[in-house]
Amino acid sequence: MIKEDKVVTTTCPYCGVGCMLNLHIKENVVYKVTSPFDAPANKGNLCVKGRFGYDFIHAKDRLTQPLMRKNNELVPATWDEAMNHVAERLLEIRDKYGPDSIGFLVSAKCTNEENYLLQKIARGVIGTNNVDHCARL
Amino acid sequence: MTNSIADIHLADVLMITGSNTTEAHPVISLEMKKAVRQYGAKLILVDPREIELAEFATLHLRPRSGTDVALYNAMAHVILENNLANDEFIKTRTENFDAFKEAVKDCTPQWGEDITGIPAEMIVEAAHMYSQARSASIFWAMGITQSSHGVDNVQSLANLALLTGNFGRPGTGLNPLRGQNNVQGACDMGGLPNVITGYQTVIDEAVRTKFENAWGTSVKIPDKPGLTVTELMQGIHDGRVKALYIMGENPMLSDPNINHVAEALSEIEFLVSQDIFLNETGQMAHVVLPGVSFAEKEGTYTNTERRVQLVRPALPIRGDAKLDLDIICDLGKRLTKSNGKTSNDVIHQITDWNYKDASAVWDEIASLTPIVAGMSYQRLNPNGLQWPCPTADHPGTPILHKEKFTRGLGKFTPLVFREPAENPDEEYPFVLNTGRLLQHWHGGTLTRRSEGLDWVVPEGEIQINNEDAQEMNVTDGDLIRVTSRRGVVTGKAKLTSKLPRGMIFMTFHFVEVPANKLTGAAVDPIAKIPEYKVSAVKVERV
Ligand code: SF4
């Protein structure tokens, strides 16, 4: 039997049921997922996605560095380059066409805190209410 | 959901409509089945397809696609006609009843049958069953909302619950099942064009001032709602929208009418994609920023029963990727600095984009958002809390609308039945319906990378009724071409008796067979949700 290095209790990333998960970790790999019996939403039940759908975390094609389009091709860039470019272009476009020429899509897959801060940038820094997400779809 | 997952099994009658719960919300379907098998509840299932829950149903109503309002208006008519309504509840807790009564006056069961195709006796039986229950709950998902009149559909269900007083008690209520894990949270956090956190509307000057002061903004929050996703795409076409910042979404796959989206995104001046994979949207971006997966971050998600729950980091960050929160704060700093303010500018009173961690961001949210004001990470550990939770000693709210509705009285909405935007006709004789499969998730970005899941269901199939297929000489695995007014998709046919005749069913998990090339651009005028469930198509053998 494998002995895990640690077990981390967290929340399923797939659907709105919000099942509680125990991720069993060995050498920084999720090798098993269980659920506590006293979990409020799922009482220890999980569906096939929640129990087995974790290869994506370790997928080889996960993005690990910023990319920028140069000569119509996406090439690796440093964070400083990429972030400066984003900030500059957004401000340029805002100055030229007004704040409502920029839109922000937050995400039904991201956390509350991430969504809050991105809409804070839209409303409080850029000055637009053009904030939405794709999940009404 | 007005109610909680934990009280599903306490309902005498469950009415499930427009939700293939087994596939889309598997663990909730377990509770529904438990209610039926273990606790003897009756199940009214409303779905044109013979989905798995049909095996558990006492009554299975199979309406013609897009005729929900007619069915529920007819049920209301029966309830009123036979004095089965909850008069006390109507009198003390609702308003606009007379207008509603007038609106359903002529919606007889026969009228309902003529429109929906459901036998009048079954409509009568369903009305009796639902209204006579001690407690009856209604569940729905995208089958109700993804319609050109999704708001009407929801209101027609709300009318039934008001009519029978099915609110505020265990096993009752109106229970929309949210699709993605944090749709509820994205909406709660102001991820909508018309509201900031906790549904505080941008139209309200006091709300705007509160946030402007707290955030110390140098710009004004506009007093008009912004553009929705669908409008943003249109705006790019019209040249009004020049830049889009997309975090953790792939509108190339999830939007209706993807040809239109692809065109828009290729025309846009500046596109940023913040994601963990280079998806179809990222490939069109000017800058791609690598965030991290749920297993590497701290934060909260809010589930479909309004429960805010902790997400805890389990793995180290990979490569040069960054926490999504850090990316946004970095952007915030660069934008405000270039705005002419330095990082120690007093204008940024609360945090100045220097948050210690996710819990510090949460504390700021709580300080500005009455419905979650009483929640802190400490209190959310281990089991989360359901909003509203206004104070630090409030236990959270498993059941909404106990003594009164949020708006005071529950309001009946008189509704007129309207046909879907696009019905089948001679040229396009089939109805295309779209939905989910248990094994895959949304655009497939995550699940299709799981070897086990992709092995079980590797291909997107086009489901078609047996008899329809026979008439066209199509058998399992034959290639068929599905054409709508907006696009063409070719894929393998899968024959099934579970679909009614004249219906085609496809999922939107597969890039190779993208159902959304076919779906319509018609949207609900209020909710702005596109009509995914009814598009007219023609089908040919290739
Ligand atoms: S385990 Fe299945 S039912 Fe539970 S939240 Fe995850 S996807 Fe949804």
Side-chain angles (χ1 to χ4, degrees):
Chain A
M1 244 195 50
I2 308 176
K3 177 88 188 84
E4 64 268 298
D5 300 335
K6 61 176 173 180
V7 177
V8 178
T9 304
T10 187
T11 307
C12 180
Y14 282 109
C15 92
V17 180
C19 294
M20 195 184 268
L21 308 174
N22 280 335
L23 302 180
H24 298 248
I25 311 283
K26 175 87 180 170
E27 286 164 7
N28 288 329
V29 172
V30 178
Y31 78 92
K32 184 170 89 176
V33 179
T34 59
S35 177
F37 289 111
D38 55 357
N42 58 309
K43 306 195 188 79
N45 293 313
L46 290 175
C47 80
V48 52
K49 292 186 292 277
R51 202 173 291 281
F52 300 114
Y54 295 101
D55 293 348
F56 81 89
I57 300 173
H58 306 295
K60 293 217 170 47
D61 56 345
R62 280 275 305 268
L63 285 167
T64 53
Q65 55 183 337
L67 305 173
M68 274 172 83
R69 189 167 295 280
K70 288 179 184 160
N71 296 324
N72 213 14
E73 224 180 302
L74 282 173
V75 294
T78 66
W79 275 104
D80 215 36
E81 250 185 309
M83 295 306 294
N84 264 338
H85 186 63
V86 174
E88 269 168 27
R89 288 293 283 137
L90 289 181
L91 290 173
E92 251 171 49
I93 289 171
R94 185 184 70 174
D95 289 347
K96 193 157 158 209
Y97 304 104
D100 286 335
S101 65
I102 303 177
F104 289 81
L105 295 187
V106 303
S107 172
K109 292 199 282 283
C110 288
T111 64
N112 288 329
E113 292 75 5
E114 290 154 3
N115 286 325
Y116 166 77
L117 283 190
L118 192 57
Q119 66 91 41
K120 177 175 172 179
I121 287 198
R123 296 194 157 102
V125 180
I126 298 293
T128 179
N129 282 318
N130 290 344
V131 182
D132 203 2
H133 61 273
C134 293
R136 67 169 78 219
L137 305 177
Chain B
M1 290 170 68
T2 59
N3 285 53
S4 293
I5 298 169
D7 73 46
I8 291 177
H9 69 278
L10 298 174
D12 292 335
V13 170
L14 292 85
M15 184 155 85
I16 304 173
T17 167
S19 159
N20 186 358
T21 322
T22 321
E23 305 262 351
H25 299 90
V27 168
I28 284 185
S29 78
L30 296 177
E31 291 299 307
M32 294 168 166
K33 293 174 192 173
K34 184 164 96 185
V36 173
R37 289 278 151 93
Q38 223 167 307
Y39 293 84
K42 291 181 181 144
L43 168 59
I44 305 170
L45 179 67
V46 184
D47 201 299
R49 297 190 295 151
E50 203 181 315
I51 56 178
E52 198 236 19
L53 281 176
E55 286 171 36
F56 296 79
T58 319
L59 267 182
H60 182 190
L61 314 182
R62 302 179 76 171
R64 173 166 71 88
S65 297
T67 60
D68 308 77
V69 168
L71 169 62
Y72 303 122
N73 270 2
M75 281 176 65
H77 174 97
V78 176
I79 291 170
L80 284 167
E81 200 67 359
N82 296 282
N83 296 320
L84 303 172
N86 185 335
D87 297 329
E88 178 63 24
F89 189 89
I90 294 171
K91 207 165 75 200
T92 56
R93 295 204 43 193
T94 71
E95 60 184 349
N96 212 26
F97 173 66
D98 292 333
F100 170 70
K101 194 173 172 182
E102 180 62 26
V104 297
K105 188 173 87 230
D106 299 323
C107 302
T108 62
Q110 189 55 49
W111 171 86
E113 172 174 335
D114 293 343
I115 293 174
T116 64
I118 299 166
E121 320 73 84
M122 284 181 89
I123 298 176
V124 173
E125 203 183 335
H128 279 262
M129 202 179 278
Y130 176 76
S131 60
Q132 292 313 94
R134 237 177 331 120
S135 54
S137 53
I138 299 178
F139 299 87
W140 74 87
M142 294 303 201
I144 283 292
T145 50
Q146 283 179 348
S147 152
S148 57
H149 14 87
V151 171
D152 286 3
N153 292 347
V154 171
Q155 279 167 342
S156 67
L157 292 167
N159 286 338
L160 285 179
L162 288 172
L163 203 53
T164 54
N166 274 304
F167 277 110
R169 291 173 285 121
T172 65
L174 293 175
N175 300 296
L177 303 177
R178 300 302 206 134
Q180 301 204 45
N181 59 329
N182 203 29
V183 187
Q184 183 69 55
C187 297
D188 298 348
M189 289 301 111
L192 291 168
N194 58 337
V195 287
I196 318 182
T197 60
Y199 308 93
Q200 302 176 79
T201 165
V202 298
I203 304 172
D204 185 343
E205 193 184 341
V207 166
R208 292 196 308 275
T209 312
K210 174 173 100 175
F211 279 92
E212 284 161 2
N213 289 339
W215 291 344
T217 62
S218 56
V219 297
K220 288 268 169 221
I221 300 172
D223 59 2
K224 282 194 201 64
L227 302 175
T228 64
V229 188
T230 320
E231 289 165 346
L232 282 169
M233 295 301 159
Q234 189 58 45
I236 298 170
H237 257 312
D238 305 343
R240 275 183 303 150
V241 176
K242 302 289 186 187
L244 212 48
Y245 190 110
I246 303 180
M247 172 173 76
E249 295 269 14
N250 186 9
M252 274 290 283
L253 215 54
S254 57
D255 251 56
N257 202 344
I258 41 183
N259 295 334
H260 189 262
V261 175
E263 235 172 82
L265 293 187
S266 67
E267 281 167 24
I268 196 166
E269 240 185 85
F270 191 57
L271 177 64
V272 181
S273 163
Q274 177 179 331
D275 211 296
I276 62 174
F277 290 112
L278 187 61
N279 56 30
E280 290 76 15
T281 304
Q283 277 159 14
M284 310 191 73
H286 297 91
V287 180
V288 178
L289 304 171
V292 304
S293 85
F294 85 106
E296 294 130 45
K297 66 173 68 157
E298 187 180 35
T300 55
Y301 293 147
T302 307
N303 79 352
T304 191
E305 54 170 3
R306 299 166 279 109
R307 184 185 298 278
V308 182
Q309 307 191 95
L310 291 172
V311 178
R312 299 177 182 84
L315 297 172
I317 293 172
R318 296 174 32 139
D320 204 17
K322 264 196 194 188
L323 289 178
D324 295 86
L325 272 189
D326 290 347
I327 299 175
I328 305 167
C329 286
D330 185 351
L331 179 63
K333 277 181 208 159
R334 286 175 207 258
L335 287 170
T336 45
K337 215 187 250 159
S338 331
N339 265 355
K341 288 181 221 77
T342 61
S343 53
N344 53 17
D345 199 311
V346 283
I347 287 178
H348 279 79
Q349 293 161 344
I350 292 188
T351 52
D352 207 10
W353 302 101
N354 285 316
Y355 297 89
K356 185 172 97 283
D357 52 21
S359 82
V361 181
W362 178 265
D363 291 341
E364 179 176 318
I365 297 168
S367 74
L368 293 165
T369 313
I371 60 171
V372 296
M375 295 185 193
S376 60
Y377 273 26
Q378 211 181 354
R379 288 196 72 201
L380 293 177
N381 189 26
N383 282 337
L385 284 164
Q386 288 170 279
W387 62 253
C389 174
T391 54
D393 54 3
H394 191 285
T397 310
I399 301 178
L400 290 178
H401 314 312
K402 267 194 168 148
E403 263 94 49
K404 63 181 182 52
F405 290 96
T406 320
R407 64 183 297 277
L409 292 175
K411 188 170 180 184
F412 281 100
T413 317
L415 295 166
V416 178
F417 167 70
R418 291 178 289 141
E419 288 285 340
E422 192 180 74
N423 266 322
D425 53 24
E426 236 161 74
E427 205 188 342
Y428 298 96
F430 283 85
V431 172
L432 170 71
N433 185 345
T434 64
R436 294 179 202 286
L437 280 182
L438 171 63
Q439 291 85 354
H440 283 294
W441 186 243
H442 218 65
T445 318
L446 306 187
T447 44
R448 294 207 64 199
R449 283 185 175 75
S450 286
E451 272 180 37
L453 299 182
D454 213 37
W455 180 76
V456 182
V457 187
E459 285 184 306
E461 292 166 328
I462 302 173
Q463 296 183 17
I464 179 169
N465 171 281
N466 295 346
E467 294 168 41
D468 287 338
Q470 262 157 23
E471 276 177 16
M472 288 189 295
N473 231 344
V474 166
T475 54
D476 265 332
D478 286 354
L479 277 186
I480 54 176
R481 181 167 50 229
V482 183
T483 312
S484 77
R485 289 187 175 83
R486 288 153 299 276
V488 187
V489 165
T490 306
K492 283 191 185 152
K494 170 81 187 156
L495 276 52
T496 170
S497 58
K498 305 207 182 280
L499 281 186
R501 294 204 62 170
M503 184 181 279
I504 296 288
F505 181 82
M506 291 169 71
T507 71
F508 50 88
H509 306 302
F510 300 92
V511 193
E512 305 87 326
V513 192
N516 295 342
K517 276 200 168 161
L518 303 170
T519 43
V523 294
D524 183 278
I526 303 166
K528 308 278 170 66
I529 299 178
E531 185 143 73
Y532 273 155
K533 302 290 179 183
V534 194
S535 312
V537 295
K538 66 177 166 201
V539 183
E540 297 151 304
R541 237 190 105 139
V542 180

